[in-house]
């Protein structure tokens, strides 16, 4: 199932106590919303928020993918969350405080049981482990391979968050202190075969240009999307992780040129000043497929 997950450019956190904000998330153009039952909900409000989130998922009618960040697996709240929110409309579960592959295996078993209880095919719901400790970041490869349903995995290095505390770096808008970390985790995630690696977060609500630079840096590294905390950030993130019309047109021309050369028995050719071959054409086809375009 994991290889069939839809690519997501933007995943916007929405408090589980504010499910009415889903309308804002969809209006902003978010590819997905993450309804948060963990940090965004005080202990006294957990039960009420869980019910609200379950109702919101069951009543959803739009195209935006819906995820839920459940409570940590070290208590019964996580199991209750999963039972309440499992639904055909649920795209995935965001799993916080992951320590090792064992946490992923436990969540996978619980989700499989919930899917069977609701008549859903096994693996229908994606699992998104959050790498929030040094051990989890170091074990990204094993965590990514722990279950086929793992998707949208990556390094989320927001200012002042769990990762900054765990690693001890000093956050900067340029992201130089986390560049190696994000690159290494991405390599592990790709090697594990996890589709759609995502990064994040950008917490400065007003610094849109800083967000743009950070999103473009993550895209350049190889990430395919980012988590976000405010609707105003969604258009910038979507733009950063989308190919431009000019890029798409060039890919189509490149494919045509390579295929025409192959028909003549040629391999590598010069195309618009660059040396290209079948490997580049294959990459171009993959980009066009993700955008729903044909190479013809």
């Amino acid at each position: 199932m994991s290889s069939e997950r839809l690519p997501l450019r933007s995943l916007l956190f929405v408090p589980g106590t504010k499910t009415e904000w889903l309308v804002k998330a969809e209006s902003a153009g978010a590819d997905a919303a993450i309804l948060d039952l963990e940090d965004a909900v005080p202990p006294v409000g957990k039960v009420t928020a869980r019910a609200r989130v379950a109702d919101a998922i069951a009543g959803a009618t739009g195209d935006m993918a819906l995820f839920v960040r459940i409570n940590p697996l070290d208590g019964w709240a996580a199991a209750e969350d999963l039972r309440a929110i499992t639904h055909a409309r649920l795209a995935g579960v965001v799993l916080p405080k992951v320590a090792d592959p064992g946490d992923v295996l436990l969540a996978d078993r619980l989700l499989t049981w919930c899917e069977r209880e609701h008549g859903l095919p096994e693996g229908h719901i994606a699992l998104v482990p959050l790498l929030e400790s040094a051990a989890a970041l170091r074990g990204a490869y094993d965590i990514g391979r722990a279950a086929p349903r793992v998707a949208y995995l990556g390094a989320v290095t927001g200012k002042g968050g769990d990762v900054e505390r765990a690693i001890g770096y000093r956050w900067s808008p340029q992201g130089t202190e986390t560049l190696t970390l994000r690159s290494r985790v991405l390599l592990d995630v790709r090697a594990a075969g996890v589709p759609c690696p995502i990064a994040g977060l950008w917490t400065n609500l007003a610094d849109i240009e800083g967000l743009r630079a950070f999103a473009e840096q993550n895209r350049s590294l190889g990430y395919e999307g980012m988590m976000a905390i405010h609707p105003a950030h969604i258009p910038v993130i979507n733009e950063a992780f989308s190919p431009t019309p000019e890029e798409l047109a060039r890919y189509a021309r490149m494919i045509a040129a390579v295929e025409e050369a192959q028909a003549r028995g040629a391999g590598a050719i010069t195309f618009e000043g660059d040396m290209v071959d079948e490997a580049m054409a294959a990459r171009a086809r993959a980009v066009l497929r993700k955008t729903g375009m044909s190479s013809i």
Side-chain angles (χ1 to χ4, degrees):
M1 284 294 297
S2 63
S3 62
E4 302 170 7
R5 306 296 179 193
L6 290 174
L8 299 174
R9 301 165 298 174
S10 53
L11 298 89
L12 178 64
F13 277 100
V14 175
T17 55
K18 301 288 185 180
T19 54
E20 67 273 15
W21 288 3
L22 286 173
V23 176
K24 295 181 180 180
E26 192 152 23
S27 296
D31 289 344
I34 302 173
L35 289 156
D36 191 4
L37 290 176
E38 192 208 12
D39 289 345
V41 181
V44 294
K46 297 284 187 183
V47 174
T48 301
R50 180 188 298 140
R52 291 191 63 173
V53 167
D55 288 344
I57 293 169
T61 58
D63 294 330
M64 183 174 61
L66 296 178
F67 290 69
V68 176
R69 178 161 71 170
I70 64 171
N71 286 284
L73 286 171
D74 59 359
W76 282 108
E80 294 296 335
D81 289 345
L82 291 175
R83 290 196 69 183
I85 65 175
T86 297
H87 190 277
R89 191 67 177 77
L90 181 66
V93 168
V94 178
L95 185 63
K97 308 296 189 291
V98 172
D100 53 44
D103 287 340
V104 176
L105 290 171
L106 174 57
D108 178 56
R109 287 195 293 268
L110 291 171
L111 270 176
T112 298
W113 180 77
C114 290
E115 287 166 340
R116 290 175 181 172
E117 187 179 46
H118 287 78
L120 299 174
E122 183 175 340
H124 175 80
I125 299 169
L127 189 59
V128 186
L130 290 183
L131 309 175
E132 299 175 285
S133 68
L137 289 160
R138 188 174 188 273
Y141 175 78
D142 292 330
I143 288 171
R145 287 178 56 86
R149 70 170 80 238
V150 173
Y152 311 108
L153 181 64
V156 180
T157 55
K159 180 181 180 180
D162 290 324
V163 175
E164 181 176 349
R165 183 172 63 253
I167 303 303
Y169 58 76
R170 291 182 177 179
W171 184 91
S172 72
Q174 295 76 27
T176 52
E177 69 286 340
T178 62
L179 183 60
T180 300
L181 174 65
R182 286 179 282 138
S183 299
R184 207 220 68 188
V185 169
L186 177 64
L187 178 59
D188 286 344
V189 167
R190 290 291 192 188
V194 176
C196 312
I198 56 170
L201 292 158
W202 187 261
T203 60
N204 189 322
L205 303 185
D207 187 4
I208 298 300
E209 289 310 308
L211 165 66
R212 189 185 312 278
F214 185 62
E216 290 176 352
Q217 185 186 71
N218 282 318
R219 176 63 192 92
S220 294
L221 289 176
Y223 283 97
E224 298 187 13
M226 275 181 57
M227 292 182 177
I229 62 170
H230 196 277
H233 290 178
I234 297 304
V236 175
I237 291 173
N238 284 348
E239 181 181 358
F241 289 96
S242 299
T244 66
E246 293 76 17
E247 288 172 328
L248 294 174
R250 187 176 188 275
Y251 284 144
R253 295 195 304 272
M254 179 196 300
I255 293 168
V258 170
E259 291 179 349
E260 193 251 346
Q262 290 172 339
R264 293 186 282 104
I269 61 169
T270 300
F271 170 75
E272 297 182 5
D274 293 327
M275 186 67 70
V276 300
D277 58 16
E278 175 56 30
M280 286 77 165
R283 165 64 177 162
R285 293 188 194 99
V287 172
L288 294 183
R289 281 197 300 270
K290 284 187 177 181
T291 57
M293 293 180 61
S294 170
S295 61
I296 301 176

